Amino acid sequence: EGFSPEQSRADLDEIKKAIDFAADTAGGGPIVFHAQEFPRSIVEFHKQEKFTQYPEEEKKAIVSLVDQRTGQLLNLRRDIEIPIPEKEIRDEKGRLVDFERDKEGRIKIRNAKFTDFEKKFKELPEPERKERYQNNVAKYFYEQYQQRQIEAAEAEAQSYDHRAKELGKAIDLLSQVKESYEKKRKEGNEDIAKTNLILNLRQRGLSPPPEDPKEFNKFIKNPEIYLHEELEERKQEIERWREGALASTRQAHQIKKEIENIRPLEEYGVKTSARAIAQAAMYGYDVEKKQKLSRPIILVPENWTPEQYGSHPQELKKLVQESRKEFVEGLIKNKKLEREEAEKIAKDRIKATFDIGHLNMWRKYFEGSDEEFKKWVDKNVKELVNTGIIGHVYLTD
Protein backbone atom coordinates (compact mmCIF):
# COMPACT_ATOMS: atom_id res chain seq x y z
CA GLU A 1 0.00 0.00 0.00
CA GLY A 2 2.97 2.29 0.34
CA PHE A 3 6.55 2.82 1.53
CA SER A 4 7.10 1.69 5.11
CA PRO A 5 9.88 3.31 7.20
CA GLU A 6 9.55 0.42 9.67
CA GLN A 7 10.16 -2.22 6.99
CA SER A 8 13.04 -0.20 5.57
CA ARG A 9 14.63 -0.06 9.02
CA ALA A 10 14.20 -3.82 9.49
CA ASP A 11 15.82 -4.52 6.11
CA LEU A 12 18.64 -2.09 6.90
CA ASP A 13 19.31 -3.91 10.19
CA GLU A 14 19.67 -7.19 8.25
CA ILE A 15 22.23 -5.57 5.93
CA LYS A 16 24.13 -4.23 8.96
CA LYS A 17 24.33 -7.77 10.35
CA ALA A 18 25.81 -8.92 7.03
CA ILE A 19 28.33 -6.05 7.20
CA ASP A 20 29.40 -7.09 10.70
CA PHE A 21 29.72 -10.72 9.60
CA ALA A 22 31.81 -9.78 6.54
CA ALA A 23 34.07 -7.63 8.70
CA ASP A 24 34.63 -10.41 11.25
CA THR A 25 35.11 -13.30 8.81
CA ALA A 26 36.32 -11.93 5.49
CA GLY A 27 38.03 -8.67 6.35
CA GLY A 28 35.52 -6.66 4.26
CA GLY A 29 34.36 -7.10 0.70
CA PRO A 30 31.04 -6.92 -1.15
CA ILE A 31 27.70 -7.05 0.67
CA VAL A 32 25.12 -8.34 -1.83
CA PHE A 33 21.37 -7.74 -1.54
CA HIS A 34 18.59 -7.89 -4.11
CA ALA A 35 17.42 -4.61 -5.59
CA GLN A 36 13.67 -5.20 -5.35
CA GLU A 37 12.69 -1.68 -4.49
CA PHE A 38 9.01 -1.49 -5.50
CA PRO A 39 6.65 -3.09 -8.02
CA ARG A 40 6.01 -1.11 -11.19
CA SER A 41 4.40 -1.64 -14.58
CA ILE A 42 6.98 -2.92 -17.08
CA VAL A 43 5.23 -1.38 -20.07
CA GLU A 44 4.90 1.94 -18.23
CA PHE A 45 8.66 2.16 -17.75
CA HIS A 46 10.10 0.18 -20.68
CA LYS A 47 7.53 0.19 -23.47
CA GLN A 48 9.97 1.83 -25.92
CA GLU A 49 12.30 -1.17 -25.57
CA LYS A 50 9.60 -3.67 -26.62
CA PHE A 51 8.89 -5.04 -23.12
CA THR A 52 5.35 -5.98 -22.07
CA GLN A 53 4.45 -7.98 -18.97
CA TYR A 54 1.06 -9.28 -20.13
CA PRO A 55 -1.43 -8.79 -23.02
CA GLU A 56 -3.14 -5.37 -22.97
CA GLU A 57 -0.83 -4.18 -20.16
CA GLU A 58 -0.63 -0.82 -21.91
CA LYS A 59 -4.42 -0.47 -21.56
CA LYS A 60 -4.90 -1.95 -18.10
CA ALA A 61 -1.70 -1.45 -16.12
CA ILE A 62 -1.75 0.23 -12.73
CA VAL A 63 -0.30 3.74 -12.69
CA SER A 64 1.20 4.49 -9.27
CA LEU A 65 1.98 7.77 -7.59
CA VAL A 66 3.15 8.49 -4.05
CA ASP A 67 2.08 11.02 -1.42
CA GLN A 68 5.45 12.29 -0.22
CA ARG A 69 4.03 13.20 3.20
CA THR A 70 3.00 9.66 4.08
CA GLY A 71 4.65 7.37 1.52
CA GLN A 72 1.20 6.05 0.63
CA LEU A 73 0.67 4.73 -2.89
CA LEU A 74 -2.10 6.12 -5.07
CA ASN A 75 -2.98 3.58 -7.71
CA LEU A 76 -4.91 4.42 -10.87
CA ARG A 77 -5.82 1.97 -13.60
CA ARG A 78 -5.03 2.97 -17.15
CA ASP A 79 -8.49 1.79 -18.23
CA ILE A 80 -10.28 4.15 -15.84
CA GLU A 81 -12.62 6.64 -17.54
CA ILE A 82 -13.21 10.21 -16.42
CA PRO A 83 -16.38 12.10 -17.37
CA ILE A 84 -15.39 15.42 -18.96
CA PRO A 85 -17.29 18.07 -20.97
CA GLU A 86 -17.55 17.24 -24.68
CA LYS A 87 -16.38 20.71 -25.69
CA GLU A 88 -15.31 23.90 -23.93
CA ILE A 89 -16.44 27.29 -25.24
CA ARG A 90 -13.94 30.09 -24.69
CA ASP A 91 -13.91 33.81 -25.50
CA GLU A 92 -11.34 35.61 -27.65
CA LYS A 93 -8.97 35.83 -24.67
CA GLY A 94 -9.13 32.10 -24.08
CA ARG A 95 -11.28 32.34 -20.96
CA LEU A 96 -13.79 29.57 -20.32
CA VAL A 97 -17.35 30.90 -20.69
CA ASP A 98 -19.46 27.77 -21.16
CA PHE A 99 -19.64 24.19 -22.41
CA GLU A 100 -21.38 22.65 -25.40
CA ARG A 101 -24.96 21.71 -24.44
CA ASP A 102 -27.71 19.46 -25.74
CA LYS A 103 -31.26 20.52 -26.75
CA GLU A 104 -32.43 20.41 -23.12
CA GLY A 105 -29.58 22.73 -22.08
CA ARG A 106 -27.55 20.05 -20.31
CA ILE A 107 -23.76 20.02 -20.65
CA LYS A 108 -22.63 17.32 -23.09
CA ILE A 109 -20.36 14.81 -21.36
CA ARG A 110 -18.01 12.15 -22.72
CA ASN A 111 -15.77 9.58 -21.04
CA ALA A 112 -12.05 10.30 -21.45
CA LYS A 113 -9.47 7.51 -21.14
CA PHE A 114 -5.85 7.52 -20.01
CA THR A 115 -4.71 7.57 -23.64
CA ASP A 116 -6.69 10.80 -24.20
CA PHE A 117 -4.75 12.45 -21.39
CA GLU A 118 -1.46 11.10 -22.75
CA LYS A 119 -2.16 12.94 -26.01
CA LYS A 120 -3.04 16.15 -24.16
CA PHE A 121 0.07 15.80 -22.00
CA LYS A 122 2.31 15.65 -25.08
CA GLU A 123 0.71 18.88 -26.33
CA LEU A 124 1.64 20.80 -23.16
CA PRO A 125 4.62 23.19 -23.30
CA GLU A 126 7.83 21.41 -22.34
CA PRO A 127 8.57 23.64 -19.27
CA GLU A 128 5.12 22.86 -17.86
CA ARG A 129 5.58 19.13 -18.43
CA LYS A 130 8.95 19.13 -16.66
CA GLU A 131 8.40 21.61 -13.83
CA ARG A 132 4.77 21.07 -12.92
CA TYR A 133 4.45 17.36 -13.70
CA GLN A 134 8.08 16.12 -13.45
CA ASN A 135 7.64 14.91 -17.05
CA ASN A 136 5.26 12.27 -15.69
CA VAL A 137 1.98 11.66 -17.49
CA ALA A 138 0.57 9.80 -14.46
CA LYS A 139 0.85 12.95 -12.31
CA TYR A 140 -0.92 14.96 -15.03
CA PHE A 141 -3.61 12.28 -15.33
CA TYR A 142 -4.15 12.21 -11.56
CA GLU A 143 -4.39 16.01 -11.34
CA GLN A 144 -6.96 16.09 -14.12
CA TYR A 145 -8.86 13.26 -12.44
CA GLN A 146 -8.88 15.00 -9.06
CA GLN A 147 -9.74 18.35 -10.61
CA ARG A 148 -13.29 17.05 -11.10
CA GLN A 149 -13.51 16.27 -7.39
CA ILE A 150 -12.24 19.74 -6.53
CA GLU A 151 -14.78 21.36 -8.83
CA ALA A 152 -17.61 19.31 -7.30
CA ALA A 153 -16.52 20.10 -3.72
CA GLU A 154 -16.11 23.83 -4.42
CA ALA A 155 -19.49 23.99 -6.18
CA GLU A 156 -21.09 22.23 -3.22
CA ALA A 157 -19.39 24.61 -0.78
CA GLN A 158 -20.63 27.58 -2.80
CA SER A 159 -24.16 26.20 -2.81
CA TYR A 160 -24.11 25.58 0.95
CA ASP A 161 -22.64 29.01 1.60
CA HIS A 162 -25.28 30.67 -0.59
CA ARG A 163 -28.03 28.83 1.29
CA ALA A 164 -26.55 29.88 4.64
CA LYS A 165 -26.43 33.52 3.53
CA GLU A 166 -30.06 33.37 2.36
CA LEU A 167 -31.05 31.90 5.71
CA GLY A 168 -29.11 34.67 7.42
CA LYS A 169 -31.18 37.25 5.56
CA ALA A 170 -34.37 35.39 6.51
CA ILE A 171 -33.31 35.41 10.18
CA ASP A 172 -32.70 39.19 10.01
CA LEU A 173 -36.14 39.73 8.44
CA LEU A 174 -37.83 37.47 10.96
CA SER A 175 -36.10 39.33 13.81
CA GLN A 176 -37.34 42.65 12.38
CA VAL A 177 -40.91 41.28 12.10
CA LYS A 178 -40.67 40.02 15.68
CA GLU A 179 -39.48 43.43 16.91
CA SER A 180 -42.28 45.16 14.97
CA TYR A 181 -44.89 42.83 16.48
CA GLU A 182 -43.56 43.34 20.01
CA LYS A 183 -43.55 47.10 19.53
CA LYS A 184 -47.18 47.17 18.28
CA ARG A 185 -48.19 44.91 21.11
CA LYS A 186 -46.61 47.18 23.69
CA GLU A 187 -48.54 50.06 22.17
CA GLY A 188 -51.69 48.33 23.47
CA ASN A 189 -53.48 46.98 20.41
CA GLU A 190 -52.81 43.25 20.33
CA ASP A 191 -55.28 42.43 17.51
CA ILE A 192 -53.69 45.01 15.17
CA ALA A 193 -50.25 43.70 16.16
CA LYS A 194 -51.26 40.14 15.23
CA THR A 195 -52.83 41.28 11.94
CA ASN A 196 -49.66 43.22 11.02
CA LEU A 197 -47.58 40.20 11.99
CA ILE A 198 -49.46 37.92 9.57
CA LEU A 199 -49.19 40.50 6.75
CA ASN A 200 -45.47 41.03 7.40
CA LEU A 201 -44.76 37.30 7.37
CA ARG A 202 -46.55 36.85 4.04
CA GLN A 203 -45.22 40.00 2.33
CA ARG A 204 -41.61 39.24 3.26
CA GLY A 205 -41.82 35.66 2.05
CA LEU A 206 -41.30 34.21 5.51
CA SER A 207 -43.12 31.19 6.94
CA PRO A 208 -46.80 32.17 7.07
CA PRO A 209 -49.01 31.12 9.99
CA PRO A 210 -50.10 27.46 9.77
CA GLU A 211 -53.27 26.76 7.76
CA ASP A 212 -54.45 23.98 10.05
CA PRO A 213 -57.20 25.54 12.29
CA LYS A 214 -55.86 24.04 15.52
CA GLU A 215 -52.28 25.14 14.77
CA PHE A 216 -53.53 28.55 13.66
CA ASN A 217 -55.37 28.99 16.96
CA LYS A 218 -52.14 28.15 18.80
CA PHE A 219 -50.34 30.78 16.72
CA ILE A 220 -53.00 33.44 17.39
CA LYS A 221 -53.03 32.61 21.07
CA ASN A 222 -49.25 33.05 21.45
CA PRO A 223 -47.32 34.40 18.41
CA GLU A 224 -44.16 34.86 20.51
CA ILE A 225 -43.68 31.08 20.85
CA TYR A 226 -44.20 30.64 17.10
CA LEU A 227 -41.67 33.37 16.26
CA HIS A 228 -39.17 32.04 18.79
CA GLU A 229 -39.43 28.49 17.39
CA GLU A 230 -39.12 29.76 13.80
CA LEU A 231 -35.98 31.72 14.67
CA GLU A 232 -34.41 28.80 16.55
CA GLU A 233 -35.16 26.40 13.71
CA ARG A 234 -33.54 28.73 11.18
CA LYS A 235 -30.50 29.25 13.40
CA GLN A 236 -30.00 25.51 13.66
CA GLU A 237 -30.48 25.11 9.92
CA ILE A 238 -28.00 27.85 9.10
CA GLU A 239 -25.40 26.06 11.26
CA ARG A 240 -25.95 22.86 9.29
CA TRP A 241 -25.45 24.66 5.98
CA ARG A 242 -22.32 26.42 7.29
CA GLU A 243 -20.91 23.10 8.48
CA GLY A 244 -21.63 21.63 5.05
CA ALA A 245 -19.86 24.56 3.35
CA LEU A 246 -16.87 24.14 5.66
CA ALA A 247 -16.69 20.38 5.07
CA SER A 248 -16.79 20.78 1.28
CA THR A 249 -14.18 23.57 1.41
CA ARG A 250 -11.93 21.35 3.51
CA GLN A 251 -12.40 18.50 1.06
CA ALA A 252 -11.35 20.72 -1.88
CA HIS A 253 -8.37 22.03 0.12
CA GLN A 254 -7.31 18.51 1.09
CA ILE A 255 -7.38 17.34 -2.53
CA LYS A 256 -5.35 20.38 -3.62
CA LYS A 257 -2.73 19.68 -0.94
CA GLU A 258 -2.64 16.04 -2.03
CA ILE A 259 -1.99 17.09 -5.62
CA GLU A 260 0.85 19.37 -4.43
CA ASN A 261 2.46 16.47 -2.56
CA ILE A 262 2.04 13.78 -5.19
CA ARG A 263 5.28 12.52 -6.67
CA PRO A 264 6.00 10.03 -9.47
CA LEU A 265 6.66 6.53 -8.15
CA GLU A 266 10.23 6.36 -9.49
CA GLU A 267 11.23 9.77 -8.12
CA TYR A 268 10.03 9.03 -4.60
CA GLY A 269 10.97 5.35 -4.57
CA VAL A 270 14.54 5.76 -5.79
CA LYS A 271 15.18 8.61 -3.36
CA THR A 272 13.87 6.51 -0.47
CA SER A 273 15.95 3.48 -1.48
CA ALA A 274 19.07 5.56 -2.14
CA ARG A 275 18.82 7.07 1.32
CA ALA A 276 18.67 3.61 2.92
CA ILE A 277 21.57 2.24 0.84
CA ALA A 278 23.62 5.31 1.74
CA GLN A 279 22.92 4.67 5.43
CA ALA A 280 24.14 1.09 5.00
CA ALA A 281 27.26 2.36 3.21
CA MET A 282 27.94 4.81 6.03
CA TYR A 283 27.63 2.02 8.58
CA GLY A 284 30.00 -0.14 6.51
CA TYR A 285 32.48 2.74 6.22
CA ASP A 286 32.46 3.22 10.00
CA VAL A 287 32.99 -0.52 10.62
CA GLU A 288 35.78 -0.56 8.04
CA LYS A 289 37.66 2.34 9.68
CA LYS A 290 37.05 1.21 13.25
CA GLN A 291 38.28 -2.35 12.63
CA LYS A 292 40.98 -1.25 10.17
CA LEU A 293 39.85 -3.82 7.61
CA SER A 294 42.22 -5.04 4.89
CA ARG A 295 39.65 -4.23 2.16
CA PRO A 296 36.69 -1.88 1.95
CA ILE A 297 33.08 -2.80 2.70
CA ILE A 298 31.23 -2.42 -0.63
CA LEU A 299 27.42 -2.22 -0.90
CA VAL A 300 26.41 -3.97 -4.12
CA PRO A 301 22.64 -4.12 -4.87
CA GLU A 302 21.88 -6.91 -7.35
CA ASN A 303 19.50 -6.84 -10.30
CA TRP A 304 16.71 -9.27 -9.46
CA THR A 305 13.24 -10.01 -10.84
CA PRO A 306 11.91 -7.92 -13.76
CA GLU A 307 8.64 -7.20 -11.92
CA GLN A 308 10.51 -5.10 -9.34
CA TYR A 309 12.28 -1.79 -9.85
CA GLY A 310 16.06 -2.15 -9.87
CA SER A 311 16.21 -5.17 -12.17
CA HIS A 312 16.50 -3.24 -15.44
CA PRO A 313 20.10 -2.12 -16.16
CA GLN A 314 19.06 1.54 -16.36
CA GLU A 315 17.18 1.26 -13.07
CA LEU A 316 20.17 -0.41 -11.41
CA LYS A 317 22.41 2.36 -12.73
CA LYS A 318 20.12 5.07 -11.38
CA LEU A 319 19.84 3.35 -8.01
CA VAL A 320 23.62 3.18 -7.64
CA GLN A 321 24.18 6.76 -8.80
CA GLU A 322 21.51 8.21 -6.50
CA SER A 323 22.80 6.15 -3.56
CA ARG A 324 26.29 7.52 -4.16
CA LYS A 325 24.96 11.07 -4.14
CA GLU A 326 23.24 10.50 -0.79
CA PHE A 327 26.39 8.88 0.61
CA VAL A 328 28.56 11.79 -0.58
CA GLU A 329 26.33 14.32 1.20
CA GLY A 330 26.47 12.20 4.36
CA LEU A 331 30.27 12.01 4.26
CA ILE A 332 30.58 15.76 3.78
CA LYS A 333 28.12 16.53 6.57
CA ASN A 334 29.08 13.90 9.15
CA LYS A 335 32.75 13.20 8.38
CA LYS A 336 33.67 16.73 7.27
CA LEU A 337 35.32 15.43 4.09
CA GLU A 338 35.99 17.44 0.94
CA ARG A 339 33.56 16.68 -1.90
CA GLU A 340 36.23 15.20 -4.19
CA GLU A 341 37.37 12.72 -1.53
CA ALA A 342 33.76 11.89 -0.59
CA GLU A 343 32.89 11.18 -4.23
CA LYS A 344 35.84 8.80 -4.59
CA ILE A 345 34.86 6.93 -1.39
CA ALA A 346 31.26 6.67 -2.55
CA LYS A 347 32.23 5.41 -6.01
CA ASP A 348 34.47 2.74 -4.46
CA ARG A 349 31.92 1.61 -1.85
CA ILE A 350 28.59 1.61 -3.68
CA LYS A 351 28.52 -0.41 -6.88
CA ALA A 352 26.22 -3.01 -8.44
CA THR A 353 26.15 -6.79 -8.49
CA PHE A 354 25.39 -7.69 -12.07
CA ASP A 355 23.67 -11.09 -12.47
CA ILE A 356 23.49 -12.20 -16.11
CA GLY A 357 21.00 -14.97 -15.23
CA HIS A 358 18.61 -12.48 -13.71
CA LEU A 359 19.00 -10.16 -16.70
CA ASN A 360 18.00 -13.10 -18.92
CA MET A 361 14.63 -13.22 -17.13
CA TRP A 362 13.72 -10.13 -19.12
CA ARG A 363 13.65 -12.29 -22.26
CA LYS A 364 10.17 -13.66 -21.45
CA TYR A 365 8.72 -10.12 -21.66
CA PHE A 366 10.65 -9.08 -24.78
CA GLU A 367 8.57 -8.85 -27.97
CA GLY A 368 11.53 -8.87 -30.37
CA SER A 369 13.80 -11.65 -31.65
CA ASP A 370 16.62 -13.45 -29.81
CA GLU A 371 19.16 -11.49 -31.83
CA GLU A 372 17.54 -8.18 -30.85
CA PHE A 373 17.52 -9.24 -27.21
CA LYS A 374 21.25 -10.06 -27.32
CA LYS A 375 21.95 -6.62 -28.76
CA TRP A 376 19.88 -5.08 -25.97
CA VAL A 377 21.92 -7.00 -23.38
CA ASP A 378 25.28 -6.01 -24.96
CA LYS A 379 24.32 -2.36 -25.18
CA ASN A 380 23.21 -2.15 -21.54
CA VAL A 381 26.16 -4.13 -20.14
CA LYS A 382 28.62 -1.88 -21.97
CA GLU A 383 26.94 1.20 -20.50
CA LEU A 384 27.08 -0.21 -16.97
CA VAL A 385 30.80 -0.95 -17.42
CA ASN A 386 31.64 2.41 -19.01
CA THR A 387 29.84 4.36 -16.27
CA GLY A 388 31.61 2.45 -13.48
CA ILE A 389 28.47 0.87 -12.07
CA ILE A 390 29.42 -2.84 -12.03
CA GLY A 391 31.58 -3.96 -9.14
CA HIS A 392 30.58 -7.58 -8.65
CA VAL A 393 29.48 -10.17 -11.25
CA TYR A 394 27.44 -13.38 -11.24
CA LEU A 395 27.94 -15.42 -14.40
CA THR A 396 25.39 -18.02 -15.51
CA ASP A 397 25.92 -20.56 -18.28
Side-chain angles (χ1 to χ4, degrees):
E1 295 179 352
F3 290 84
S4 166
E6 295 83 6
Q7 186 59 50
S8 179
R9 176 59 187 268
D11 292 342
L12 191 55
D13 286 343
E14 289 299 313
I15 292 177
K16 286 180 179 179
K17 289 177 186 177
I19 290 171
D20 290 334
F21 184 73
D24 291 342
T25 61
I31 308 298
V32 184
F33 53 94
H34 284 159
Q36 44 187 17
E37 307 312 308
F38 47 87
R40 48 91 183 91
S41 161
I42 287 178
V43 77
E44 193 74 34
F45 280 69
H46 305 295
K47 171 188 170 185
Q48 71 280 5
E49 294 179 297
K50 297 184 180 180
F51 288 106
T52 305
Q53 192 169 350
Y54 56 87
E56 295 192 320
E57 183 186 8
E58 194 172 354
K59 294 180 181 178
K60 297 183 177 181
I62 297 294
V63 178
S64 296
L65 296 161
V66 188
D67 188 326
Q68 67 174 354
R69 298 167 298 180
T70 62
Q72 183 181 359
L73 280 183
L74 297 167
N75 294 320
L76 296 168
R77 288 180 62 92
R78 287 176 70 98
D79 56 0
I80 194 172
E81 293 184 341
I82 304 175
I84 63 171
E86 183 73 44
K87 185 179 179 183
E88 294 178 347
I89 300 172
R90 298 182 178 273
D91 61 18
E92 63 278 358
K93 292 184 178 179
R95 293 173 297 199
L96 180 65
V97 293
D98 201 357
F99 301 99
E100 187 177 352
R101 297 174 182 268
D102 60 21
K103 292 178 181 178
E104 284 75 33
R106 294 170 300 197
I107 297 172
K108 287 185 177 181
I109 296 293
R110 68 181 179 90
N111 287 329
K113 298 181 180 179
F114 189 91
T115 49
D116 296 319
F117 289 95
E118 277 185 313
K119 290 174 186 173
K120 284 189 174 183
F121 181 70
K122 289 174 183 176
E123 293 168 2
L124 293 176
E126 188 176 349
E128 186 177 359
R129 287 203 308 269
K130 285 184 177 179
E131 293 167 21
R132 182 170 178 176
Y133 300 109
Q134 288 83 54
N135 216 18
N136 186 274
V137 65
K139 183 171 169 61
Y140 171 73
F141 176 69
Y142 182 74
E143 183 173 314
Q144 298 303 305
Y145 174 75
Q146 288 295 70
Q147 191 59 39
R148 273 67 192 169
Q149 313 305 316
I150 293 171
E151 289 166 2
E154 288 181 340
E156 202 170 58
Q158 235 175 7
S159 175
Y160 289 159
D161 193 48
H162 176 73
R163 181 63 181 148
K165 285 176 181 176
E166 290 299 310
L167 274 169
K169 292 176 184 176
I171 288 171
D172 291 341
L173 286 173
L174 198 55
S175 299
Q176 290 170 19
V177 168
K178 186 171 179 284
E179 287 174 14
S180 174
Y181 164 73
E182 290 169 349
K183 185 179 178 183
K184 290 283 183 187
R185 190 166 167 269
K186 284 177 183 177
E187 289 172 359
N189 196 330
E190 191 165 338
D191 288 338
I192 292 174
K194 289 177 180 178
T195 302
N196 283 340
L197 173 60
I198 293 170
L199 287 171
N200 271 335
L201 287 172
R202 285 175 176 160
Q203 286 173 354
R204 293 172 183 254
L206 300 169
S207 299
E211 293 181 2
D212 180 78
K214 287 183 181 179
E215 294 297 319
F216 185 77
N217 286 334
K218 284 182 185 179
F219 164 75
I220 289 297
K221 187 177 180 181
N222 199 334
E224 288 94 338
I225 292 177
Y226 171 82
L227 291 169
H228 174 75
E229 288 176 350
E230 284 290 310
L231 277 168
E232 286 304 307
E233 187 178 331
R234 279 172 167 75
K235 285 176 183 176
Q236 289 175 17
E237 191 179 354
I238 200 173
E239 283 305 309
R240 289 195 294 273
W241 287 111
R242 281 173 178 162
E243 285 171 7
L246 180 59
S248 295
T249 302
R250 280 175 174 165
Q251 184 185 0
H253 177 75
Q254 186 176 345
I255 296 171
K256 286 177 182 177
K257 290 301 290 182
E258 192 174 81
I259 288 172
E260 287 176 16
N261 284 282
I262 287 302
R263 294 292 178 268
L265 176 62
E266 184 179 29
E267 177 192 315
Y268 182 91
V270 170
K271 187 174 182 180
T272 303
S273 295
R275 194 180 297 125
I277 292 171
Q279 287 174 354
M282 185 66 79
Y283 181 82
Y285 183 73
D286 286 340
V287 168
E288 176 192 324
K289 294 303 176 186
K290 185 178 179 181
Q291 297 190 25
K292 298 178 181 177
L293 299 180
S294 57
R295 54 192 183 134
I297 296 283
I298 309 170
L299 275 296
V300 275
E302 174 189 348
N303 59 310
W304 173 222
T305 178
E307 294 79 18
Q308 298 278 336
Y309 188 95
S311 57
H312 188 286
Q314 294 304 315
E315 295 171 350
L316 190 62
K317 174 185 169 185
K318 187 168 186 176
L319 188 63
V320 168
Q321 289 176 333
E322 293 303 314
S323 299
R324 285 173 177 173
K325 287 178 186 177
E326 290 283 341
F327 189 28
V328 165
E329 297 307 318
L331 288 168
I332 293 171
K333 181 181 178 182
N334 301 315
K335 305 299 181 184
K336 310 303 178 188
L337 299 180
E338 295 296 325
R339 183 168 294 277
E340 187 177 350
E341 184 184 0
E343 286 176 350
K344 185 180 185 309
I345 290 170
K347 190 173 181 181
D348 289 340
R349 285 164 180 78
I350 299 179
K351 299 187 180 184
T353 296
F354 183 71
D355 188 317
I356 189 64
H358 291 167
L359 188 67
N360 255 326
M361 291 195 290
W362 279 85
R363 179 66 186 92
K364 62 184 173 182
Y365 297 132
F366 190 66
E367 296 178 335
S369 65
D370 286 342
E371 194 58 39
E372 287 177 302
F373 184 74
K374 287 177 183 178
K375 288 180 180 178
W376 175 81
V377 170
D378 286 346
K379 176 187 173 186
N380 280 282
V381 172
K382 282 178 183 176
E383 185 174 347
L384 290 179
V385 172
N386 292 336
T387 51
I389 300 298
I390 296 179
H392 197 64
V393 177
Y394 288 165
L395 291 177
T396 305
D397 183 350

